[in-house]
Amino acid sequence: MSDFADGPQAWVGAWSEKRAQLTPDRVGLVDAATGERYTYAALDRRANRGSRLLRAAGVGGGDRFAVVSRNRPELVDLFFAAGKTGSVLAPLSHLLAPPELAALLDRVDPALLVVERPFLEKTRAALDDADGAAPTVLAIEATDDGGGDEVPDGTATYAAELPEDDSPVDTATLAPDDPHLLLHTGGSTGTPKEAVITHRGVVWNSLNTVASWGLRDDDVTPLTFPMFHTGGWNVVTVPVWHMGGTVVLAREFDAGGLLGTVEREGATVLVAVPAVLRALTEHDDWSGTDLSTLRIVKSGGGPCRQSVMDAWWSRGVDLSQGYGLTECGPNNFAMPDGWPHEKADTVGKPAMHVDARVVEDGEPVERGAVGELQLRSPHAAAGYLDSDESAATFGGGWVSTGDLASVDADGYYRIEGRKKEMFVSGGENVYPAEIESVLTDHARIDEVVVVPVPDEQWGQVGNAVVEGDDALTVGDIEAFCDGRLARYKVPKRLAFVDEMPTSGPEKIDRQAVRERFGGE
């Protein structure tokens, strides 16, 4: 039996329309770059204009269009417009190089491409490299926030093509399994895969988040993730809109600016990657910023070091860790009421409408054992676009995450690292994430990635690639790990970088580190 009534529904994509009907005068969006504040009624009118623009450009039900931009109100307009028209929004990373962007454009094959001015030249170079038919290109001028020069003469602009008519449009009648978003994974090798996110998935992730995290209609959240990432939409943006709360956009991350937003807007919910949370604690404004309005603060996108959690706890903020991925959710776990800080290295327990299990060779392992984490929920993606890897990830009714996990005696899930990152040293399984969690507590280490290297005696040993004090020695590492890690887990090699490579905003590119410092 379907989790929706049989047949299509007009409400599935009508997010802005429904909010405008229920809470027209509430502020749904704040643009931190310009100071503009948009009520839900205004957002719906903007979405009506965006819908007319899409239809005038020949983008209809099931058609795809792409956007290359920083976080801007225009992306919000187009998200809502995609729901109204039944079209499919594919936000693409502005961080990609032209050949990488060209490969994604070939895969998505958009009928329309909307590009923010600072990335216009890069995108045109990508189109020159792409094999598919060239889409219509519209440029968003970024001069309103100092983001770039005016659009070159002869270039069609989004503003000029946007119809003035903001009256209601006929909303598409959609089925829950119709796609709403194409979100590319954070793959660091080859072309990232595009996950097909359906309206069902968007709705159910939002329901899971609201029910499991306790979101409210007066919540205010600064968006710290880019909108080409699942975090930009599904971690907290859409769930907050679902409740009628307020989302604050910034073009790029700035620690001082974010702290100012938290205090100025009275933010109640903050979700960010560990590097952002750490940067906030190290900023000069940290101790003087009023954090008292924050009710929910979560870390996601990788393990959060203990010292960062301690810093937030010392300010009376109950920071905890979450877990998600583009292919499922992304909000799959929650911390139970009254959770003890001794469980801070876990991601909690499965959310309301999520099943989780840890398996080896497809069979559940004993409690406490390490295996691959699998998830099952109506918020899972429908699969990958034009990829033969869908069956391996989504087959059998479970989403295979590729992450290793364990479940403790109290039912808390702990992420042990990526399955492909595990290595064997002297016959023992070694999980880099566990070692990195210990090493990042060292006062002279800012960031660390542990990769395997060949060793004549043990087969493989760990090489700790450190961003920090380059006067550290292997002996220092061994002394620090004594009593914290089994000896076979302690890295036997040490390397240094001035700065870790990244594959996305504040996310370490582990594959690049492994290619440079590891060995097969």
Side-chain angles (χ1 to χ4, degrees):
M1 182 177 179
S2 172
D3 49 6
F4 291 89
D6 289 339
Q9 296 90 24
W11 63 263
V12 171
W15 286 86
S16 63
E17 178 183 337
K18 288 291 188 178
R19 267 287 142 224
Q21 292 171 353
L22 296 170
T23 54
D25 298 326
R26 284 190 195 167
V27 174
L29 184 71
V30 177
D31 186 355
T34 64
E36 291 289 329
R37 309 177 78 84
Y38 304 93
T39 64
Y40 280 105
L43 288 174
D44 190 52
R45 290 193 297 269
R46 290 173 63 95
N48 290 334
R49 296 178 70 191
S51 298
R52 289 187 167 89
L53 180 146
L54 291 177
R55 286 170 172 163
V59 181
D63 294 330
R64 306 166 190 163
F65 68 99
V67 180
V68 180
S69 174
R70 298 170 299 167
N71 293 357
R72 300 184 60 92
E74 289 88 349
L75 268 79
V76 175
D77 302 339
L78 291 170
F79 172 87
F80 289 139
K84 285 176 176 284
T85 60
S87 54
V88 186
L89 168 61
L92 305 179
S93 173
H94 57 77
L95 302 175
L96 296 174
E100 299 168 313
L101 193 55
L104 276 182
L105 287 168
D106 279 335
R107 180 167 291 172
V108 171
D109 191 23
L112 172 69
L113 181 56
V114 179
V115 185
E116 190 184 17
R117 171 63 183 94
F119 315 110
L120 192 58
E121 285 75 13
K122 174 194 290 189
T123 305
R124 290 201 181 282
L127 288 171
D128 289 341
D129 287 343
D131 294 329
T136 299
V137 176
L138 297 180
I140 299 174
E141 294 184 273
T143 53
D144 60 333
D145 53 58
D149 299 328
E150 293 183 359
V151 172
D153 290 341
T155 302
T157 67
Y158 181 88
E161 297 298 321
L162 192 66
E164 291 293 334
D165 187 357
D166 62 5
S167 63
V169 297
D170 291 332
T171 302
T173 299
L174 300 166
D177 287 330
D178 287 337
H180 189 177
L181 297 168
L182 296 177
L183 296 177
H184 55 75
T185 61
S188 55
T189 58
T191 304
K193 297 181 288 293
E194 289 279 350
V196 180
I197 312 299
T198 64
H199 287 273
R200 180 194 307 273
V202 174
V203 170
W204 272 101
N205 176 74
S206 185
L207 292 172
N208 266 329
T209 307
V210 168
S212 302
W213 291 9
L215 297 186
R216 305 189 314 216
D217 61 1
D218 60 350
D219 274 326
V220 177
T221 186
L223 178 58
T224 66
F225 298 96
M227 284 179 155
F228 59 74
H229 189 282
T230 187
W233 300 105
N234 292 320
V235 164
V236 71
T237 300
V238 174
V240 164
W241 283 335
H242 206 159
M243 293 299 293
T246 304
V247 176
V248 184
L249 292 186
R251 301 290 181 269
E252 295 162 344
F253 169 66
D254 172 76
L258 180 53
L259 287 170
T261 294
V262 169
E263 181 169 289
R264 182 177 60 255
E265 299 292 342
T268 59
V269 180
L270 176 64
V271 188
V273 297
V276 166
L277 295 171
R278 175 187 159 205
L280 296 179
T281 68
E282 295 175 346
H283 194 272
D284 291 342
D285 294 341
W286 167 252
S287 60
T289 300
D290 182 2
L291 305 178
S292 62
T293 58
L294 287 171
R295 194 180 78 259
I296 301 169
V297 178
K298 296 191 78 68
S299 170
C304 188
R305 65 173 63 180
Q306 186 64 46
S307 60
V308 174
M309 303 193 79
D310 288 338
W312 283 88
W313 294 344
S314 72
R315 295 294 312 277
V317 178
D318 204 25
L319 170 65
S320 63
Q321 299 194 76
Y323 171 85
L325 65 164
T326 307
E327 290 86 345
C328 192
N331 298 335
N332 297 293
F333 292 87
M335 283 296 189
D337 289 348
W339 67 277
H341 282 179
E342 291 76 17
K343 302 292 188 181
D345 61 340
T346 76
V347 296
K349 299 184 179 184
M352 276 291 292
H353 305 288
V354 177
D355 293 330
R357 67 180 187 177
V358 177
V359 302
E360 184 173 354
D361 297 328
E363 295 297 324
V365 301
E366 295 181 359
R367 182 155 291 199
V370 175
E372 183 178 9
L373 176 65
Q374 292 187 333
L375 300 167
R376 182 170 60 187
S377 172
H379 71 200
Y384 296 124
L385 179 69
D386 300 331
S387 173
D388 56 7
E389 296 184 44
S390 287
T393 300
F394 298 94
W398 292 85
V399 177
S400 297
T401 66
D403 285 314
L404 296 168
S406 62
V407 188
D408 69 17
D410 299 314
Y412 287 78
Y413 281 68
R414 179 177 289 101
I415 305 303
E416 306 286 358
R418 292 290 292 169
K419 186 176 180 180
K420 64 182 180 181
E421 291 164 3
M422 186 198 81
F423 62 93
V424 179
S425 183
E428 299 287 349
N429 291 345
V430 179
Y431 306 103
E434 178 188 13
I435 305 168
E436 292 158 6
S437 179
V438 170
L439 291 181
T440 50
D441 285 334
H442 195 294
R444 295 159 64 189
I445 294 177
D446 295 328
E447 296 288 356
V448 62
V449 172
V450 175
V451 298
V453 293
D455 182 81
E456 290 186 6
Q457 181 176 3
W458 303 110
Q460 289 180 308
V461 295
N463 183 20
V465 181
V466 171
E467 178 186 326
D469 185 351
D470 60 8
L472 278 170
T473 67
V474 172
D476 294 331
I477 297 297
E478 290 175 341
F480 182 77
C481 292
D482 187 30
R484 292 181 170 92
L485 289 172
R487 292 185 64 182
Y488 69 85
K489 299 178 184 178
V490 178
K492 305 298 191 292
R493 312 278 177 82
L494 198 55
F496 297 92
V497 293
D498 293 332
E499 186 176 3
M500 290 290 182
T502 58
S503 59
E506 309 297 332
K507 188 170 184 179
I508 294 173
D509 187 342
R510 299 183 63 93
Q511 182 63 29
V513 175
R514 185 163 183 158
E515 289 175 356
R516 180 179 173 187
F517 294 100
E520 298 300 330

